[in-house]
Amino acid sequence: LKQKTKSSNKPLSTCQTDTKKKQPVKAAKSPEVPPINGNGNVGKAKSTNKMDNGSAKDSPPLAKPKVKGVAVNKNLNATRINGKVCKEKKENVSVVKESNEIKHKKRKAEEHVEQQPKEADIWFDDVDPKDIEAAIGPEAAKIARRNLGLETGQSKKSVEQVLVKESASDGLTKAVAMDCEMVGVGPKGEESIVARVSIVNQFGKCIYDKYVKPTEKVTDYRTAVSGIRPQNINTGEDFKTVQKEVADILRGRILVGHALRNDLKVLFLDHPQKKIRDTQRYKPFKQRVKSSRPSLKLLCETLLNVQVQTSEHCSIQDAQAAMRLYTLEKKKWEAAVKNKTNNKK
């Protein structure tokens, strides 16, 4: 018994040092000890109690192990209790994660909800509505277009409001804009002849518009682009008449247009270079749209915020668009031409 008490003291001492509690002393002073050994063998009673405690580690229903169970939890039932704790912790962590994900989704949803800007918020001028749409949103761009007199799904009327000055004169002006529609001739329709000529004044008002009878057999009407049909040119004006009338209008005036070299070529006409204002060759336009040969459609979309040439081309509208681009930069353009001529002199 003494040897066993020695062996049983070791784990108890370790438990006592780990837990820093003196449960064995309280167990020795319990009222159950005196009736067992009344002859003064207190040490043996203690040893038997210790043995009982040692055996009671595996039997939790006893009273004394319950007291020690609080201190011995770390060593005996650690795996079982820790297993439960770990499960509870995992469950708590999963619940916290789910709640955090829900909050995060709600926050994202709130961030993605676009606040509809008011018309008073859109105050900046001379900004492309496309840039506004990229930076703020479609609603802001819509307001900006409305302020500029432009709508997203523009009708012909709204385009004309931008390109034509309604209350202006419809007579000849110092500057005129010209555009021609062409059809194809030759074996594959690659060669071009004039089919329609349109001229507008400085305010966008049409002052000349005629279809031209073909001088050769037409092999490609290019209707999808030119808008020309057989009935248009079959009843058109004679080429020589149109050529003379156009030459009379252009004489002594500034000629505005887009890729004018092609238009003058099909009319077999020439015009002084210092009097030509070609929107395709104007350097500031090239720099703004970042293209060496910008199309009229691109220039109008970027600089005027108007869409032209969306389907079949119209020579009147193309001439109006070229004139509007010219009047947009008229002062700078004419100053640049003047400086160029002075430098040459």
Side-chain angles (χ1 to χ4, degrees), residues 231-274:
Q231 60 268 26
N232 299 137
I233 55 176
N234 290 339
T235 58
E237 189 69 70
D238 185 63
F239 173 77
K240 290 286 182 183
T241 306
V242 172
Q243 184 187 43
K244 185 178 182 304
E245 290 172 351
V246 171
D248 291 340
I249 293 170
L250 300 184
R251 190 175 293 113
R253 289 183 170 84
I254 293 171
L255 177 59
V256 181
H258 189 83
L260 279 168
R261 184 174 61 87
N262 299 326
D263 299 321
L264 292 170
K265 183 180 178 182
V266 293
L267 285 168
F268 296 97
L269 290 175
D270 194 11
H271 200 72
Q273 192 64 38
K274 63 180 181 179

Side-chain angles (χ1 to χ4, degrees), residues 57-266:
K57 288 176 184 178
D58 296 326
S59 57
L62 292 174
K64 290 179 182 178
K66 284 182 182 177
V67 178
K68 289 184 179 180
V70 179
V72 186
N73 275 337
K74 292 182 182 177
N75 296 325
L76 298 176
N77 297 325
T79 55
R80 185 171 56 80
I81 295 167
N82 288 335
K84 287 181 180 179
V85 172
C86 288
K87 284 181 182 178
E88 289 175 0
K89 282 183 179 179
K90 284 180 181 178
E91 288 174 1
N92 291 332
V93 169
S94 64
V95 170
V96 170
K97 281 184 179 178
E98 287 176 2
S99 63
N100 287 337
E101 286 177 0
I102 290 166
K103 287 179 182 178
H104 185 62
K105 285 178 182 177
K106 282 182 180 178
R107 198 180 300 114
K108 272 193 171 181
E110 288 173 0
E111 287 173 0
H112 280 86
V113 173
E114 293 181 0
Q115 292 182 353
Q116 303 299 334
K118 296 180 181 179
E119 200 153 339
D121 297 333
I122 312 303
W123 55 268
F124 30 76
D125 298 322
D126 300 325
V127 180
D128 190 349
K130 287 187 177 180
D131 296 336
I132 297 171
E133 185 171 357
I136 303 173
E139 283 298 320
K142 191 176 180 181
I143 292 168
R145 287 190 182 98
R146 195 184 303 124
N147 292 339
L148 289 169
L150 307 169
E151 294 297 333
T152 48
Q154 287 184 347
S155 62
K156 287 183 178 180
K157 188 177 180 182
S158 63
V159 173
E160 285 177 5
Q161 285 175 352
V162 177
L163 301 181
V164 183
K165 195 171 181 180
E166 290 292 335
S167 58
S169 169
D170 55 356
L172 278 169
T173 53
K174 188 178 179 181
V176 293
M178 181 178 72
D179 187 76
C180 297
E181 297 298 342
M182 304 161 198
V183 290
V185 295
K188 295 181 181 179
E190 292 177 353
E191 296 295 322
S192 298
I193 61 169
V194 64
R196 184 183 182 184
V197 184
S198 301
I199 301 174
V200 301
N201 65 9
Q202 192 170 325
F203 309 108
K205 297 288 185 74
C206 182
I207 56 174
Y208 188 87
D209 181 39
K210 283 189 178 182
Y211 290 99
V212 185
K213 279 183 181 178
T215 53
E216 299 180 47
K217 185 181 178 181
V218 178
T219 53
D220 186 2
Y221 284 92
R222 306 173 186 173
T223 307
V225 176
S226 67
I228 302 296
R229 290 164 176 78
Q231 60 268 26
N232 299 137
I233 55 176
N234 290 339
T235 58
E237 189 69 70
D238 185 63
F239 173 77
K240 290 286 182 183
T241 306
V242 172
Q243 184 187 43
K244 185 178 182 304
E245 290 172 351
V246 171
D248 291 340
I249 293 170
L250 300 184
R251 190 175 293 113
R253 289 183 170 84
I254 293 171
L255 177 59
V256 181
H258 189 83
L260 279 168
R261 184 174 61 87
N262 299 326
D263 299 321
L264 292 170
K265 183 180 178 182
V266 293

